[in-house]
């Protein structure tokens, strides 16, 4: 894959629900992925908002595809990455879990800053006002 | 491989950090007084259209913040037209004994970053001037965005 130094590229991040039961993958009106690659680092913006079809459902964990597979040497990490929202009083910090050699990023959410972030699932994106926005930097 | 190596070297050499003054404003709302800080530091680096920013505002440098206008801070470069409007985790703020996660919103084609924070569990709001009304106030943020 070719790239220009510091120039951003667009891709369509694919949403999946991994595991769980009763899953319906949420569809967004806006589904944007933007990324740039410098050396072995990727800077990634993901932005999902608006009711573009099916509402999310189920206990499967939200995953979003990456533009480039993470490196085998990428340390497994969990970082505060952005924001997610479903309906009134459900805003939460979005955490990104990334593994080595991964083709997707897993999302967690914390409504209480002192609590361990729980897996974000389809039920957490069940409202027409659903939204997830985050930035991520990782090694490829 | 040689070309990739060259690009890596160029990226390494190209990243220098620069200072700027991150001007604070309050947008909209009512009863606004812009908080003034003793330390008002901005640092940025740019590689192509990728801009990394550090902002550090702390200490009682004059007026205390007031009002319902939304805290915004100047960017070193205008954002690009394709910048995805995005609240991203950026840092913390404190106001006396109140602490909150700060999320940064950089819209497309804008010269400022807007701040939001979790005022309570599950409640995320745009950050008003009044959240910086104590003499012990701080905002610290790191974030990146796509420039024009």
């Amino acid at each position: 894959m070719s790239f220009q130094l510091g120039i951003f590229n667009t891709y369509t991040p694919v949403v999946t629900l991994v595991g769980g039961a009763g899953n319906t993958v949420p569809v967004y009106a806006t589904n944007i992925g933007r990324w740039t690659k410098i050396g072995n680092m990727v800077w990634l913006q993901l932005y999902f908002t608006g009711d573009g079809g099916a509402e999310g459902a189920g206990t499967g964990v939200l995953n979003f595809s990456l533009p480039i597979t993470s490196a085998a040497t990428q340390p497994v990490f969990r970082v505060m990455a952005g924001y997610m929202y479903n309906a009134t009083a459900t805003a939460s910090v979005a955490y990104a879990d990334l593994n080595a050699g991964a083709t997707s990023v897993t999302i967690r959410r914390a409504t209480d800053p002192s609590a361990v972030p729980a897996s974000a699932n389809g039920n957490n994106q069940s409202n027409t006002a659903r939204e997830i926005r985050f930035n991520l930097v990782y090694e490829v | 491989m040689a070309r990739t190596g060259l690009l890596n070297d160029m990226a390494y050499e190209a990243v220098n950090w620069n200072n700027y003054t991150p001007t604070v404003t309050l947008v909209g709302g009512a009863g606004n007084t812009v908080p003034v800080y003793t330390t008002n530091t901005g640092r940025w680096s740019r590689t192509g259209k990728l801009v990394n920013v550090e902002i550090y505002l702390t200490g009682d440098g004059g007026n205390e913040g007031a009002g319902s206008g939304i805290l915004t801070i100047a960017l070193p470069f205008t954002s690009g037209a394709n910048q995805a409007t995005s609240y991203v985790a950026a840092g913390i703020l404190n106001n006396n004994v109140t602490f909150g996660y700060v999320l940064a919103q950089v819209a497309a084609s804008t010269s400022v970053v807007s701040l939001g924070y979790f005022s309570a569990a599950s409640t995320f709001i745009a950050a008003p001037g009044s959240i910086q009304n104590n003499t012990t106030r701080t905002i610290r943020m790191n974030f990146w965005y796509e420039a024009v």
Side-chain angles (χ1 to χ4, degrees), chain A residues 90-110:
Chain A
T90 63
S92 56
V93 174
Y95 287 77
D97 278 9
L98 191 65
N99 294 316
T103 58
S104 66
V105 57
T106 301
I107 306 304
R108 287 179 174 262
R109 57 190 290 273

Side-chain angles (χ1 to χ4, degrees), chain A residues 3 5-8 32 34 36 38-40 43-47 80-83 89-93 95 111-113 133-137, chain B residues 3-4 7-8 10-11 14 47-50 52 82-89 91 101 103 105 118 120-124 144-147:
Chain A
F3 65 93
L5 194 66
I7 300 300
F8 278 77
I32 295 175
R34 301 271 296 162
T36 189
I38 300 174
N40 292 333
W43 283 255
L44 173 64
Q45 298 180 334
L46 293 173
Y47 179 29
M80 287 175 59
Y83 164 83
T90 63
S92 56
V93 174
Y95 287 77
T111 54
D112 177 351
R133 315 174 189 214
F134 65 93
N135 281 6
L136 183 64
V137 180
Chain B
R3 181 170 182 272
T4 300
L7 286 173
N8 289 344
M10 288 170 61
T47 306
K49 293 190 174 186
L50 172 66
N52 287 281
N82 293 316
Q83 161 71 27
T85 300
S86 191
Y87 273 117
V88 297
Y101 292 148
L103 274 67
Q105 183 186 52
F118 281 84
S122 304
T123 304
F124 178 75
W144 57 269
Y145 68 98
E146 180 181 352

Side-chain angles (χ1 to χ4, degrees), chain A residues 3-45:
Chain A
F3 65 93
Q4 291 179 275
L5 194 66
I7 300 300
F8 278 77
N9 307 280
T10 300
Y11 82 112
T12 301
V14 177
V15 185
T16 53
L17 295 171
V18 177
N23 294 339
T24 301
V25 174
V27 179
Y28 300 88
T30 300
N31 183 343
I32 295 175
R34 301 271 296 162
W35 62 276
T36 189
K37 179 176 181 289
I38 300 174
N40 292 333
M41 300 295 290
V42 167
W43 283 255
L44 173 64
Q45 298 180 334

